[in-house]
Amino acid sequence: MQYQISNQPVAGVQASCIVVTLDQSGKLSDAANAIDQASGGFIQARIDARDIEGKTAQTLLLPAVAGIGAERVLLVGTGKETLKSADAVKILNAIASATSGYSGNVALALAHLATDTLPAAWWAEQIAQAYGNALYKYTETKGKKDDAAEKRQPDSLTWLGDDVSAAFSKGEAIALGVAYAKELGNLPPNICTPSYLAAEAVKLGAAGALDVTILDEEELEKLGAGAFVSVAKGSSEPGKMIVMKYQGAADKNAAPHMILGKGITFDTGGISLKPGLNMDEMKYDMCGAASVLGTMKALLELKPAINVIGMITSAENMPAGHASKPGDVVTTLSGKTVEILNTDAEGRLVLCDAMTYGINNFKPASLVDIATLTGACMAALGRVNSGLFTTDETLAGELQNAAAYSGDKVWRLPLEDDYQELLDSNFADMANIGGPLAGATTAACFLSRFTEGTPWAHLDIAGTAWNSGGKAKGSTGRPVPLLVNYLLAK
């Protein structure tokens, strides 16, 4: 999609649709008032008829009106109070949903909504993402495709106001990354295997400035990554560890910032088998990996002057005669031993060896892992906030700031030493679960033992990576917006 900036009089703007606003008191924005006057009071007549009340994100589509250049007018409510970011996003999503099916140009008279808290650049960035969400549609494994319907979408967006071109570019890059992460998450697990994710990383590398390395299961076993292998060996699909190196900084040797995604492309629970109900959704257990690929895609579009390592640790967790059993003890790449009390706590096993590999080989300035790790986090935070765990206050602040700006929310959960004893084992250095209480925290405690002093944070996205049930079912692409904003601030 193309993005344009214009300062021409609103009534004369040529567009398939122009978007203007009113608040809940019925007050029209200056742009809406200009159109109302040029059309002989057409908008005010609709307000007087109570066709629209101006509630937050309420919309009313009006047909072509004599006296204005646009073919349609979308009237959007902004509510009755100063807009918070969550309400602003609702408004932008409503606009994108209402106009994404029109070809031609959509003009946006929204500059008056900008504030010190939500500047014009923020609005432009978010509207680009809103259109990305509105236009995304999964079709890959559907037999009948309506090509004509897919092609019907805006050719361009015109922002009526000051130049926000850079913000549009950033928002579009994030939207591309989100759509990519959604697509990977939504693919069925017989297609999106560890080998598929590895091939996607190679494609990204070929298309942009990425150096990609793939370590297979056999290599990792030789290296001593016993925790990873304990998960991967139960499947006929070979496990992979994927490393993507982006070097955008002037100093190519500057310590990189690492993001590491859990990529369990299907999780049966292994020998500790999950219940059958909704098990199909365990294809989403690789959404951490998808978010890393989506973030790297966005970085290739934006080309920031930083060094980033994107890592994915990927396997299937399956029951088999040679799969790990509860009670097994395995030796991690770090040399620490783990008693596997539950084979369904596999994500931390593949992540810990990847953390050790990444820290030993790249000496990162920071490490953030992203994982659909625990149902306990979902139970605590639902589908609104991702769980944030770290003892590094600087890193916590950076991630919280990125979350607040992007609207990709996080909530910080405890990571205190008092919880570590729940992982005690009589037969190994630690167990892979800590019992029925504080499950999200004990999972983070487990990972913390493999950080080796590196500034580290853990994002548990079990509740936010996908939506369940009905028409809403599907990957969300989170936390790509959070990760991109976090890395761009480095």
Side-chain angles (χ1 to χ4, degrees), residues 95-146:
I95 291 169
S97 178
T99 62
S100 60
Y102 298 137
S103 57
N105 176 50
V106 175
L108 306 164
L110 304 174
H112 65 286
L113 297 175
T115 62
D116 291 341
T117 305
L118 302 177
W122 181 90
W123 285 90
E125 183 180 325
Q126 289 292 329
I127 194 65
Q129 293 179 60
Y131 274 93
N133 284 326
L135 292 169
Y136 173 79
K137 183 179 181 182
Y138 180 81
T139 60
E140 182 62 29
T141 51
K142 292 192 173 185
K144 185 178 181 180
K145 297 181 176 65
D146 185 351

Side-chain angles (χ1 to χ4, degrees), residues 414-423 437-438 441-442 445 449:
L415 187 60
E416 297 160 15
D417 285 344
D418 292 348
Y419 291 101
Q420 292 283 357
E421 64 186 36
L422 295 175
L423 295 172
L437 302 179
T441 289
T442 54
C445 285
R449 300 186 181 200

Side-chain angles (χ1 to χ4, degrees), residues 177-182 287 290-291 408 464-466 474-481:
V178 168
Y180 186 36
K182 284 183 178 180
C287 283
S291 74
D408 194 352
T464 58
W466 78 93
S475 174
T476 64
R478 293 178 65 184
V480 171

Side-chain angles (χ1 to χ4, degrees), residues 10-12 32-42 65-69:
V10 174
N33 190 54
I35 288 178
D36 187 55
Q37 291 182 10
S39 63
F42 184 71
V65 182
I68 68 170

Side-chain angles (χ1 to χ4, degrees), residues 210-232:
L210 282 183
D211 180 17
V212 179
T213 302
I214 311 295
L215 288 84
D216 63 26
E217 189 176 328
E218 185 176 339
E219 290 176 274
L220 290 164
E221 186 167 21
K222 289 179 180 177
L223 288 173
F228 175 90
V229 172
S230 73
V231 177

Side-chain angles (χ1 to χ4, degrees), residues 34-385:
I35 288 178
D36 187 55
Q37 291 182 10
S39 63
F42 184 71
I43 290 179
Q44 188 61 51
R46 304 278 45 88
I47 296 171
D48 293 344
R50 301 185 65 82
D51 290 345
I52 185 169
E53 298 175 345
K55 294 179 180 179
T56 302
Q58 185 182 22
T59 61
L60 177 65
L61 185 65
L62 304 176
V65 182
I68 68 170
E71 297 173 14
R72 307 170 184 83
V73 177
L74 182 70
L75 196 56
V76 183
T78 59
K80 59 184 178 181
E81 298 177 354
T82 302
L83 282 171
K84 297 180 180 179
S85 60
D87 287 331
V89 169
K90 289 179 183 177
I91 290 169
L92 295 176
N93 284 334
I95 291 169
S97 178
T99 62
S100 60
Y102 298 137
S103 57
N105 176 50
V106 175
L108 306 164
L110 304 174
H112 65 286
L113 297 175
T115 62
D116 291 341
T117 305
L118 302 177
W122 181 90
W123 285 90
E125 183 180 325
Q126 289 292 329
I127 194 65
Q129 293 179 60
Y131 274 93
N133 284 326
L135 292 169
Y136 173 79
K137 183 179 181 182
Y138 180 81
T139 60
E140 182 62 29
T141 51
K142 292 192 173 185
K144 185 178 181 180
K145 297 181 176 65
D146 185 351
D147 294 333
E150 289 176 21
K151 291 178 182 178
R152 187 172 172 82
Q153 63 185 55
D155 302 313
S156 60
L157 296 181
T158 296
W159 177 266
L160 302 176
D162 293 337
D163 190 353
V164 289
S165 300
F168 271 137
S169 296
K170 179 185 173 187
E172 183 177 39
I174 293 172
L176 288 171
V178 168
Y180 186 36
K182 284 183 178 180
E183 189 73 1
L184 291 170
N186 288 332
L187 285 170
N190 59 320
I191 293 176
C192 189
T193 63
S195 296
Y196 185 92
L197 291 178
E200 288 297 302
V202 171
K203 285 182 188 177
L204 272 185
L210 282 183
D211 180 17
V212 179
T213 302
I214 311 295
L215 288 84
D216 63 26
E217 189 176 328
E218 185 176 339
E219 290 176 274
L220 290 164
E221 186 167 21
K222 289 179 180 177
L223 288 173
F228 175 90
V229 172
S230 73
V231 177
K233 70 179 184 177
S235 173
S236 58
E237 290 286 346
K240 306 284 183 183
M241 194 177 291
I242 302 160
V243 181
M244 296 169 282
K245 184 187 296 185
Y246 170 83
Q247 292 181 297
D251 180 3
K252 305 303 181 187
N253 294 317
H257 298 281
M258 180 178 292
I259 53 175
L260 166 64
K262 172 189 170 185
I264 300 297
T265 56
F266 195 78
D267 182 17
T268 66
I271 297 300
S272 305
L273 194 67
K274 291 178 180 290
L277 183 64
N278 297 326
M279 194 194 282
D280 63 289
E281 294 187 9
M282 287 301 96
K283 71 177 186 176
Y284 294 116
D285 210 16
M286 44 63 67
C287 283
S291 74
V292 170
L293 282 162
T295 299
M296 300 306 286
K297 186 176 184 67
L299 293 182
L300 289 175
E301 294 288 326
L302 296 168
K303 300 178 174 58
I306 54 175
N307 293 337
V308 178
I309 299 292
M311 280 190 68
I312 291 169
T313 180
S314 186
E316 282 186 344
N317 187 24
M318 301 289 283
H322 50 281
S324 294
K325 307 171 292 299
D328 284 358
V329 174
V330 297
T331 302
T332 67
L333 186 57
S334 70
K336 299 180 179 75
T337 58
V338 178
E339 182 184 13
I340 300 174
L341 296 180
N342 189 321
T343 63
D344 194 23
E346 85 298 331
R348 65 203 73 182
L349 296 174
V350 297
L351 285 168
C352 72
D353 278 345
M355 290 170 68
T356 299
Y357 183 89
I359 291 169
N360 288 348
N361 285 276
F362 304 109
K363 306 296 188 290
S366 67
L367 167 59
V368 177
D369 77 76
I370 311 100
T372 49
L373 206 62
T374 66
C377 191
M378 186 189 303
L381 301 179
R383 299 199 178 277
V384 177
N385 286 279

